[in-house]
């Protein structure tokens, strides 16, 4: 798709891509061999036309992996930079272990460069689309589908305990740092857990019973934003949980 | 691991009589190879810093899913306005790079400063500060610096004026213990108590810790890890908190304790692998500029080197 391939006279492409994972002595040896070859720039053969800007068809791996498309040709006056880049075909020569997330959508408004609305922009762009969806629907202030305190939720986690259900006691809205507390009684012990919405461990949130609305048996409206009084009244906890099973 | 910057270093002169001729030959060979015009980072170099604005704080999660707070710093047209080289009274040289940031209207700038900025070829700026550097780290005047100057994974010191707290008592200002809450203490639960001895010395020592104005002074937070760089918006994400209010000007430079002095010590020992923090191969030298940022990926993030805190240790 227009990606530039680099074929070294001495190595094939698979070795270049795995360069980052070689043991350090092997890697030094490989770099020495390339450096020792006469004019290193001339020994590079390009099988496809170069792209001067970042290719758009960047393979998007999970956030843990480095971007797979690793070649870019740099035109710079610094011979050390050129030498470092040409030998290992790294997009970022200052740190091989660095991760390179996909670039932002162009163009960025000029007001962001002056800091206007920057933190809000970061709240909206830093998390993944699934987390953005959660933040803008379940945990927003005015969305019709927002979870109100008094709802019963089940949370699926990546670490133990894998699932936790409970009454939503509070939602702490801080943009990306939004979190909520669920309370449950397990083996006659009150247990509260705080979950951060943007945490990678939080896999799924299921609403078992919604609170709010008109009132009545289904959807009892709580008159508080934070239900810390539930810690002192187990009968109210039972009343809420009875509705779930019934 | 091969360190390209280590190739040009002078070999250490060992105190071995038999290596006299080889040492001389190696030194001659080293001087021939270091003939490139562009300066290269060395472990004894001290680079310039930047001036940024503290935009706020947010939160990030590392590769293992551990949460950590970050402060967002943004560069606002940070440019080099002068290179300073003076000789002190004891004949030692002082080298510095003067950096200015945040454009300002000409109407509100004094004639003296207007002339200074015109000489540098930059628009008038709000804040002008200088960073001491080594002689090889001077940057051409007028260069626009970028967030790419810092490498994710390195440590920085951030200097700013702390938030002013006004006139504060000794408990907040000097961590005094105060007096008891009960048992007869009357009306002086948070007071300082005694401020001196008796007839000897018969006075209050100068510098006695007392109540007074707290905050609003220059404060340095050291050894903050750079987590993420966004050169499209000139953002630097540092782990932890930074002094000052939001939108305050902060000075950011390489950490003296974890970068500069560690590099010098490890270089003197000969440990090239420990000169820079883990995962960093070389630093942009003499500075990370906007031209350099145009050729590199816009967003770079530091990997997590620590083990997962969610997996119990054996």
């Amino acid at each position: 798709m227009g990606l530039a391939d680099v074929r070294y006279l001495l190595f094939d492409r698979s070795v270049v891509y795995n360069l980052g994972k070689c043991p350090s002595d092997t890697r030094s040896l490989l770099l020495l061999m390339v450096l020792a070859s006469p004019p290193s720039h001339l020994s590079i053969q390009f099988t496809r036309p170069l792209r001067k800007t970042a290719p758009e068809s960047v393979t998007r791996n999970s956030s843990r992996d480095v971007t797979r498309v690793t070649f870019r040709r740099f035109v710079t006056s610094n011979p050390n930079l050129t030498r470092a880049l040409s030998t290992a075909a790294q997009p970022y020569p200052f740190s091989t272990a660095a991760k390179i997330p996909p670039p932002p959508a162009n163009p960025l408004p000029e007001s962001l460069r002056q800091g206007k609305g920057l933190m809000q922009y970061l709240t909206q762009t830093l998390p993944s689309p699934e987390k953005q969806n959660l933040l803008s629907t379940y945990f927003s202030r005015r969305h019709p589908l927002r979870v109100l305190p008094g709802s019963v939720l089940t949370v699926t986690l990546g670490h133990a305990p894998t699932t936790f259900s409970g009454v939503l006691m509070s939602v702490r809205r801080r943009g990306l740092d939004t979190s909520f507390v669920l309370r449950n009684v397990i083996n006659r012990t009150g247990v509260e857990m705080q979950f951060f919405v943007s945490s990678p461990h939080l896999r799924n949130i299921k609403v078992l019973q919604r609170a709010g609305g008109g009132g009545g048996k289904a959807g009892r409206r709580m008159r508080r934003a934070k239900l810390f009084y539930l810690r002192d009244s187990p009968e109210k906890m039972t009343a809420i949980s009875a509705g779930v099973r019934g | 691991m091969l360190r390209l910057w280590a190739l040009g270093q002078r070999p250490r002169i060992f105190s071995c009589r038999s290596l006299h001729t080889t040492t001389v030959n190696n030194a001659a060979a080293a001087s021939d190879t270091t003939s490139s015009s562009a300066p290269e980072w060395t472990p004894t170099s001290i680079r310039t810093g930047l001036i940024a604005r503290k935009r706020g704080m947010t939160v990030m999660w590392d590769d293992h899913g551990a949460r950590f707070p970050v402060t967002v710093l943004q560069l606002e047209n940070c440019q080099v306005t002068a290179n300073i080289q003076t000789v002190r009274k004891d004949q030692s040289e002082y080298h510095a790079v003067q950096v200015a940031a945040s454009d300002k209207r000409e109407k509100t700038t004094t004639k003296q400063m207007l002339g200074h900025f015109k000489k540098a070829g930059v628009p008038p700026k709000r804040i002008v500060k200088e960073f001491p550097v080594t002689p090889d780290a001077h940057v051409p005047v007028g260069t626009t610096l970028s967030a790419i100057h810092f490498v994710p994974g390195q440590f920085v010191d951030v200097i700013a004026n702390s938030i002013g707290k006004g006139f504060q008592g000794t408990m907040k200002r000097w961590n005094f213990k105060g007096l008891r809450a009960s048992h007869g203490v009357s009306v002086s639960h948070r007071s300082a108590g005694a401020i001196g001895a008796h007839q000897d010395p018969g006075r209050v020592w100068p510098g006695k810790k007392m109540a007074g104005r707290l905050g609003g002074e220059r404060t340095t937070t050291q050894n903050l890890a750079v987590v993420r760089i966004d050169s499209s918006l000139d953002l630097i994400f540092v782990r932890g908190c930074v002094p000052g209010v939001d939108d305050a000007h902060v000075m950011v430079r390489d950490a003296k304790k974890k970068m500069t002095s560690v590099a010098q010590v490890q270089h003197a020992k000969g440990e090239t692998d420990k000169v820079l923090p883990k995962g960093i191969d070389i630093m942009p030298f003499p500075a990370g500029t906007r031209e350099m940022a145009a050729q590199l990926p816009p967003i770079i993030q530091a990997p997590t080197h620590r083990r997962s805190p969610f997996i119990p240790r054996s």
Side-chain angles (χ1 to χ4, degrees), chain A residues 145-185:
Chain A
L145 285 178
R146 69 192 186 278
V147 286
L148 290 168
S151 314
V152 180
L153 310 181
T154 299
V155 165
T156 314
L157 293 169
H159 56 72
T162 46
T163 58
F164 188 83
S165 311
V167 177
L168 181 67
M169 279 220 305
S170 67
V171 179
R172 179 180 180 268
R173 292 186 183 85
R174 297 287 190 275
L176 203 53
D177 205 20
T178 303
S179 66
F180 58 99
V181 174
L182 299 183
R183 181 180 172 83
N184 201 351
V185 179

Coordinates of all heavy atoms in Angstrom, one line a residue, chain A residues 145-185:
Chain A
L145 N -28.8 8.2 29.3 CA -28.5 6.8 29.7 C -27.5 6.8 30.9 O -26.9 5.8 31.2 CB -27.8 6.1 28.6 CG -28.8 5.6 27.5 CD1 -27.9 4.9 26.4 CD2 -29.8 4.6 28.0
R146 N -27.3 8.0 31.6 CA -26.3 8.0 32.6 C -26.8 7.2 33.8 O -28.0 7.1 34.1 CB -26.1 9.4 33.1 CG -27.2 10.1 33.8 CD -27.0 11.6 34.0 NE -28.0 12.2 34.8 CZ -29.2 12.6 34.3 NH1 -29.5 12.3 33.1 NH2 -30.1 13.1 35.2
V147 N -25.8 6.5 34.5 CA -26.2 5.7 35.7 C -26.3 6.6 36.9 O -25.4 7.4 37.1 CB -25.1 4.6 35.9 CG1 -25.3 3.5 34.9 CG2 -23.7 5.2 35.9
L148 N -27.4 6.5 37.6 CA -27.6 7.4 38.7 C -27.3 6.6 40.0 O -27.3 5.4 40.0 CB -29.1 7.8 38.8 CG -29.5 8.7 37.7 CD1 -31.0 8.9 37.6 CD2 -28.9 10.1 37.9
P149 N -26.9 7.3 41.0 CA -26.6 6.6 42.3 C -27.9 5.9 42.8 O -29.0 6.4 42.7 CB -26.2 7.7 43.3 CG -26.6 9.0 42.6 CD -26.7 8.7 41.2
G150 N -27.7 4.6 43.2 CA -28.8 3.8 43.6 C -29.0 2.7 42.6 O -29.7 1.7 42.8
S151 N -28.3 2.8 41.4 CA -28.4 1.7 40.4 C -27.5 0.6 40.9 O -26.6 0.7 41.7 CB -27.9 2.2 39.1 OG -28.4 3.4 38.7
V152 N -27.8 -0.6 40.4 CA -27.0 -1.8 40.7 C -26.3 -2.2 39.4 O -26.8 -2.4 38.3 CB -27.9 -3.0 41.1 CG1 -27.1 -4.2 41.4 CG2 -28.7 -2.6 42.3
L153 N -24.9 -2.2 39.5 CA -24.1 -2.5 38.4 C -23.3 -3.8 38.6 O -23.0 -4.1 39.8 CB -23.1 -1.4 38.1 CG -23.6 0.1 38.1 CD1 -22.4 1.0 37.8 CD2 -24.6 0.2 37.0
T154 N -22.9 -4.4 37.5 CA -21.9 -5.5 37.6 C -20.7 -5.1 36.8 O -20.9 -4.7 35.6 CB -22.5 -6.8 37.0 OG1 -23.6 -7.1 37.8 CG2 -21.5 -7.9 37.1
V155 N -19.5 -5.2 37.3 CA -18.3 -4.8 36.7 C -17.4 -6.0 36.4 O -17.3 -6.8 37.3 CB -17.6 -3.7 37.6 CG1 -16.1 -3.5 37.1 CG2 -18.3 -2.4 37.6
T156 N -16.9 -6.1 35.2 CA -16.0 -7.2 34.8 C -14.6 -6.6 34.8 O -14.4 -5.6 34.1 CB -16.4 -7.8 33.5 OG1 -17.8 -8.0 33.4 CG2 -15.7 -9.1 33.3
L157 N -13.7 -7.3 35.5 CA -12.3 -6.8 35.6 C -11.3 -7.7 35.0 O -11.6 -8.9 34.8 CB -12.0 -6.6 37.1 CG -12.7 -5.6 37.9 CD1 -12.4 -5.8 39.4 CD2 -12.3 -4.2 37.5
G158 N -10.1 -7.2 34.8 CA -9.1 -8.0 34.3 C -8.3 -8.7 35.4 O -7.6 -9.7 35.1
H159 N -8.4 -8.2 36.6 CA -7.7 -8.9 37.7 C -8.8 -9.3 38.7 O -10.0 -9.1 38.6 CB -6.7 -8.0 38.3 CG -7.2 -6.7 38.8 ND1 -8.0 -6.5 39.9 CD2 -7.1 -5.4 38.3 CE1 -8.3 -5.2 40.1 NE2 -7.8 -4.6 39.1
A160 N -8.3 -10.0 39.7 CA -9.2 -10.6 40.7 C -9.8 -9.4 41.6 O -9.0 -8.5 42.0 CB -8.5 -11.6 41.6
P161 N -11.0 -9.4 42.0 CA -12.1 -10.3 41.6 C -12.6 -10.0 40.2 O -12.7 -8.9 39.8 CB -13.2 -10.0 42.6 CG -13.0 -8.6 43.0 CD -11.5 -8.3 42.9
T162 N -12.8 -11.0 39.4 CA -13.1 -10.8 38.0 C -14.4 -10.1 37.8 O -14.5 -9.4 36.9 CB -13.1 -12.2 37.3 OG1 -13.9 -13.1 38.1 CG2 -11.7 -12.7 37.1
T163 N -15.4 -10.4 38.7 CA -16.6 -9.6 38.6 C -17.0 -9.1 40.0 O -16.7 -9.7 41.0 CB -17.8 -10.5 38.1 OG1 -17.9 -11.6 39.0 CG2 -17.5 -11.0 36.7
F164 N -17.6 -8.0 40.0 CA -18.1 -7.4 41.2 C -19.4 -6.7 41.0 O -19.5 -5.9 40.0 CB -17.1 -6.4 41.8 CG -17.4 -5.9 43.2 CD1 -17.1 -6.7 44.3 CD2 -18.1 -4.7 43.4 CE1 -17.4 -6.2 45.6 CE2 -18.4 -4.3 44.6 CZ -18.0 -5.0 45.8
S165 N -20.4 -7.0 41.8 CA -21.7 -6.3 41.6 C -21.9 -5.5 42.9 O -21.4 -5.8 44.0 CB -22.8 -7.4 41.5 OG -22.5 -8.3 40.6
G166 N -22.7 -4.5 42.7 CA -23.0 -3.6 43.9 C -23.8 -2.5 43.5 O -24.1 -2.2 42.3
V167 N -24.2 -1.8 44.6 CA -25.0 -0.6 44.5 C -24.1 0.6 44.2 O -23.1 0.7 44.8 CB -25.8 -0.3 45.8 CG1 -26.6 1.0 45.6 CG2 -26.7 -1.4 46.1
L168 N -24.5 1.4 43.2 CA -23.6 2.6 42.9 C -23.8 3.6 44.0 O -24.9 4.2 44.1 CB -24.0 3.1 41.5 CG -23.2 4.3 41.0 CD1 -21.8 3.9 40.8 CD2 -23.8 4.9 39.8
M169 N -22.8 3.9 44.7 CA -22.9 4.8 45.8 C -22.5 6.2 45.4 O -23.1 7.2 45.9 CB -21.9 4.4 47.0 CG -22.5 3.3 47.8 SD -22.1 3.6 49.6 CE -20.4 3.7 49.5
S170 N -21.5 6.4 44.5 CA -21.0 7.7 44.2 C -20.3 7.6 42.8 O -19.7 6.6 42.5 CB -20.1 8.3 45.2 OG -18.9 7.5 45.2
V171 N -20.5 8.7 42.1 CA -19.7 8.9 40.8 C -18.9 10.1 41.0 O -19.4 11.2 41.3 CB -20.6 9.1 39.6 CG1 -19.8 9.3 38.4 CG2 -21.5 7.9 39.4
R172 N -17.6 10.0 40.9 CA -16.6 11.1 41.1 C -16.2 11.5 39.6 O -15.4 10.8 39.0 CB -15.4 10.6 41.9 CG -14.4 11.7 42.1 CD -13.2 11.2 42.9 NE -12.2 12.2 43.1 CZ -11.1 12.3 42.4 NH1 -11.0 11.5 41.3 NH2 -10.3 13.3 42.6
R173 N -16.7 12.6 39.2 CA -16.5 13.0 37.8 C -15.3 13.9 37.7 O -15.3 15.1 38.2 CB -17.7 13.7 37.2 CG -18.8 12.7 37.0 CD -20.0 13.4 36.3 NE -21.1 12.4 36.2 CZ -22.0 12.2 37.2 NH1 -22.0 12.9 38.3 NH2 -23.0 11.3 37.0
R174 N -14.2 13.5 37.1 CA -13.0 14.3 37.0 C -12.4 14.1 35.6 O -11.2 14.0 35.4 CB -11.9 13.9 38.0 CG -12.2 14.1 39.4 CD -12.3 15.5 39.8 NE -12.4 15.7 41.2 CZ -13.6 15.7 41.9 NH1 -14.7 15.6 41.2 NH2 -13.6 15.8 43.2
G175 N -13.3 14.0 34.6 CA -12.8 13.9 33.2 C -12.2 12.5 33.0 O -12.9 11.5 33.2
L176 N -10.9 12.4 32.7 CA -10.3 11.1 32.5 C -10.2 10.3 33.8 O -10.1 9.1 33.8 CB -8.9 11.3 31.9 CG -8.3 10.2 31.1 CD1 -9.2 9.7 30.0 CD2 -7.0 10.7 30.5
D177 N -10.2 11.0 34.9 CA -10.0 10.3 36.2 C -11.3 9.9 36.8 O -11.4 9.7 38.0 CB -9.2 11.3 37.1 CG -8.4 10.5 38.2 OD1 -8.2 9.3 38.0 OD2 -8.1 11.1 39.2
T178 N -12.4 9.9 36.1 CA -13.7 9.6 36.6 C -13.7 8.2 37.2 O -13.2 7.2 36.7 CB -14.8 9.6 35.5 OG1 -14.7 10.9 34.9 CG2 -16.2 9.4 36.0
S179 N -14.3 8.1 38.4 CA -14.4 6.8 39.1 C -15.7 6.7 39.8 O -16.5 7.7 40.0 CB -13.3 6.7 40.1 OG -13.5 7.6 41.1
F180 N -16.1 5.5 40.2 CA -17.3 5.2 40.9 C -17.1 4.2 41.9 O -16.2 3.4 41.8 CB -18.5 4.9 39.9 CG -18.2 3.6 39.1 CD1 -18.7 2.4 39.5 CD2 -17.4 3.7 37.9 CE1 -18.5 1.3 38.7 CE2 -17.2 2.6 37.2 CZ -17.7 1.4 37.6
V181 N -18.0 4.2 42.9 CA -17.9 3.2 44.1 C -19.1 2.4 44.1 O -20.2 2.9 44.1 CB -17.7 4.0 45.4 CG1 -17.7 3.0 46.6 CG2 -16.4 4.8 45.4
L182 N -18.9 1.1 44.2 CA -20.0 0.1 44.3 C -19.9 -0.5 45.7 O -18.8 -0.8 46.2 CB -19.9 -1.0 43.3 CG -19.9 -0.6 41.8 CD1 -19.8 -1.9 41.0 CD2 -21.2 0.1 41.5
R183 N -21.1 -0.7 46.3 CA -21.1 -1.3 47.6 C -22.0 -2.6 47.5 O -23.0 -2.6 46.9 CB -21.8 -0.3 48.6 CG -21.8 -0.9 50.0 CD -22.4 0.1 51.0 NE -22.7 -0.6 52.3 CZ -21.8 -0.7 53.2 NH1 -20.5 -0.2 53.1 NH2 -22.1 -1.3 54.4
N184 N -21.5 -3.6 48.2 CA -22.2 -4.9 48.3 C -21.9 -5.5 49.7 O -21.0 -5.1 50.4 CB -21.7 -5.8 47.2 CG -22.7 -6.9 46.9 OD1 -23.7 -7.0 47.6 ND2 -22.4 -7.6 45.8
V185 N -22.8 -6.4 50.0 CA -22.6 -7.2 51.3 C -22.3 -8.6 50.9 O -23.2 -9.3 50.4 CB -23.9 -7.1 52.2 CG1 -23.6 -7.8 53.5 CG2 -24.2 -5.6 52.5

